[in-house]
Amino acid sequence: MKKLLLFFVSFILSMTVFANNTSSIKKIRMNNNPSQLIFDINSKIKPKFNQSYDEYNRLLFLEIEKTNLGPKFNGSNFIGKNIEKFDMIDYGSNIGFFIKLKPNITHKVYTLSNPYRVVIDFKVSSSNKKEFTIAIDAGHGGKDPGAIGFKKYREKDITLAVSKKLKSKLSKDFNVIMIRETDTFITLSNRSKIANKAKADLFVSLHINSAQNSAAQGMEIFYFSKKSSPYAEKIAAYENSFGEKYGEKTTSIAQIMGELSYNKNMEKSITIAKPLNTSLARRLGMKDRGIYGANFAVLRGFNGPGILVELGFISNKIDVKKMTREANQNIMAEELGNKIKGFFY
Ligand SMILES: [Zn+2]
């Protein structure tokens, strides 16, 4: 019993010592390969830290808990290829570091044991974010093949092939969001949701037309408009019907842009669509069928300018031949890319 009591007392004592124990920073050192800033910590327990990062000012705030400074440190020693400014504040129980990073430097903070260290890894950012974001929407996909036409070519395959080429064309100058990059089914409402979430500046939806009359051919571009001609309305109803066919009530897709942005976005969409359709048709030797406004469900849900390109008619032999040739798909991507770039820059 005495032994047990002694054990208990010593346990309480050790807990008290443990709780009061403050750590101290023994050394701060820069490591070059890999790029790291290392805080060597004299402590009996694993040090805890808090961090926050102010992206705009590139300022990392790192606070190491229950720790004080051992020796004095000269912050200017750590300024170099990763760090622009280094300050520290002793809060009595905690110590805070204000570390301004150089542009394009990313960081990661973690602890290591034996001996205890808090480490910041620095890396040169590979993302190099561009100013504008384009959402590329390859029409249909997965269980929805879109229109099936001549020689059983499927709309979803050609739209995906051109979308991928357009992505590589745009990636040099834009951030690109692919609504789908594989043969997957995505509802019409989710397509615009993905683009809105990415804060895309333009929504480009690629489709292929189909008609009962196999002689119908050529390219046309649509933009979102609440008013439309009977012809444009028919095309919109046709594309929207794929939503209905695969279980989506397309009438429930709300127009989230306000009246003012609606007019502005329509104007922008027309500015992109008009020269684009003409140059696309000319370069591919296809018929220029013009541009039209209509109530397309997939464009309605997007909060910005958007165009829906009908690259040709899958029901027309000549158009199918043109659209399935890789050289022509490259021209489509190039022309789409050039006109989009011309609009933004
Ligand atoms: Zn379609």
Side-chain angles (χ1 to χ4, degrees):
M1 185 63 197
K2 211 176 170 185
K3 241 183 181 175
L4 189 70
L5 191 72
L6 199 67
F7 171 77
F8 190 67
V9 167
S10 68
F11 178 72
I12 293 286
L13 263 171
S14 72
M15 280 303 285
T16 317
V17 170
F18 189 72
N20 286 339
N21 180 51
T22 46
S23 320
S24 67
I25 295 175
K26 217 164 51 178
K27 206 174 172 191
I28 306 175
R29 59 199 163 93
M30 209 58 205
N31 192 11
N32 270 332
N33 197 16
S35 272
Q36 291 172 322
L37 186 66
I38 303 165
F39 301 80
D40 290 308
I41 295 174
N42 214 339
S43 175
K44 286 206 170 67
I45 54 160
K46 191 176 177 177
K48 277 192 184 159
F49 66 84
N50 303 305
Q51 60 166 325
S52 63
Y53 184 64
D54 170 357
E55 197 134 348
Y56 183 76
N57 294 301
R58 304 193 308 273
L59 190 64
L60 167 67
F61 175 65
L62 172 69
E63 185 183 33
I64 303 177
E65 290 182 4
K66 294 195 176 71
T67 300
N68 48 47
L69 282 176
K72 288 264 174 265
F73 298 101
N74 183 356
S76 61
N77 288 344
F78 313 116
I79 292 170
K81 64 173 182 163
N82 300 306
I83 297 172
E84 197 170 300
K85 212 164 169 248
F86 186 100
D87 287 312
M88 54 199 129
I89 292 180
D90 196 337
Y91 294 110
S93 55
N94 297 354
I95 177 103
F97 298 93
F98 296 84
I99 304 166
K100 179 162 185 166
L101 303 185
K102 288 270 177 81
N104 288 328
I105 296 294
T106 61
H107 69 279
K108 193 182 148 197
V109 189
Y110 54 94
T111 51
L112 289 175
S113 306
N114 284 329
Y116 287 123
R117 285 154 287 166
V118 173
V119 181
I120 310 175
D121 279 356
F122 299 108
K123 263 196 192 129
V124 178
S125 163
S126 55
S127 70
N128 64 68
K129 236 173 129 25
K130 311 287 195 311
E131 196 179 350
F132 301 107
T133 301
I134 311 293
I136 304 176
D137 174 42
H140 311 274
K143 65 183 176 186
D144 169 15
I148 299 171
F150 187 76
K151 274 194 176 169
K152 297 270 181 295
Y153 279 113
R154 297 178 300 187
E155 181 180 359
K156 66 170 183 178
D157 301 322
I158 304 174
T159 59
L160 184 59
V162 179
S163 293
K164 283 180 178 170
K165 291 178 188 299
L166 180 58
K167 181 196 178 183
S168 57
K169 170 76 190 165
L170 287 175
S171 293
K172 291 172 216 115
D173 306 296
F174 297 94
N175 310 307
V176 177
I177 300 293
M178 293 290 275
I179 303 300
R180 69 175 179 101
E181 224 159 345
T182 54
D183 184 20
T184 44
F185 175 78
I186 299 166
T187 61
L188 293 178
S189 55
N190 277 336
R191 288 171 192 257
S192 47
K193 262 184 212 155
I194 294 167
N196 287 331
K197 209 175 154 202
K199 295 192 166 60
D201 299 285
L202 176 70
F203 186 84
V204 182
S205 194
L206 299 183
H207 287 259
I208 294 166
N209 223 330
S210 180
Q212 292 284 336
N213 174 9
S214 65
Q217 65 181 114
M219 289 183 152
E220 50 201 6
I221 297 181
F222 295 88
Y223 53 89
F224 173 62
S225 166
K226 286 185 276 191
K227 284 184 214 137
S228 63
S229 67
Y231 171 71
E233 206 170 298
K234 201 184 88 186
I235 303 294
Y238 174 69
E239 288 292 358
N240 294 346
S241 74
F242 286 94
E244 308 286 341
K245 191 173 169 185
Y246 295 97
E248 189 180 26
K249 237 183 144 14
T250 54
T251 46
S252 65
I253 299 175
Q255 175 202 326
I256 63 164
M257 50 188 148
E259 231 22 50
L260 240 155
S261 355
Y262 162 69
N263 286 315
K264 261 193 193 156
N265 288 332
M266 186 155 63
E267 215 172 280
K268 284 182 186 169
S269 308
I270 292 170
T271 308
I272 300 170
K274 214 163 186 175
L276 174 60
N277 201 57
T278 307
S279 64
L280 263 175
R282 197 183 51 229
R283 281 199 67 185
L284 289 153
M286 289 169 81
K287 190 179 173 191
D288 176 1
R289 296 176 63 95
I291 68 162
Y292 306 89
N295 196 344
F296 281 88
V298 73
L299 296 178
R300 184 170 59 231
F302 177 61
N303 189 22
I307 54 171
L308 187 145
V309 185
E310 296 278 4
L311 294 165
F313 279 77
I314 208 151
S315 43
N316 180 268
K317 194 174 164 181
I318 301 162
D319 275 9
V320 168
K321 255 190 180 166
K322 292 216 159 144
M323 289 185 294
T324 50
R325 269 196 68 202
E326 199 181 351
N328 288 333
Q329 293 177 353
N330 285 329
I331 293 173
M332 287 174 180
E334 200 180 283
E335 208 46 51
L336 279 156
N338 288 343
K339 287 289 180 287
I340 291 167
K341 192 179 165 187
F343 177 78
F344 283 99
Y345 292 101

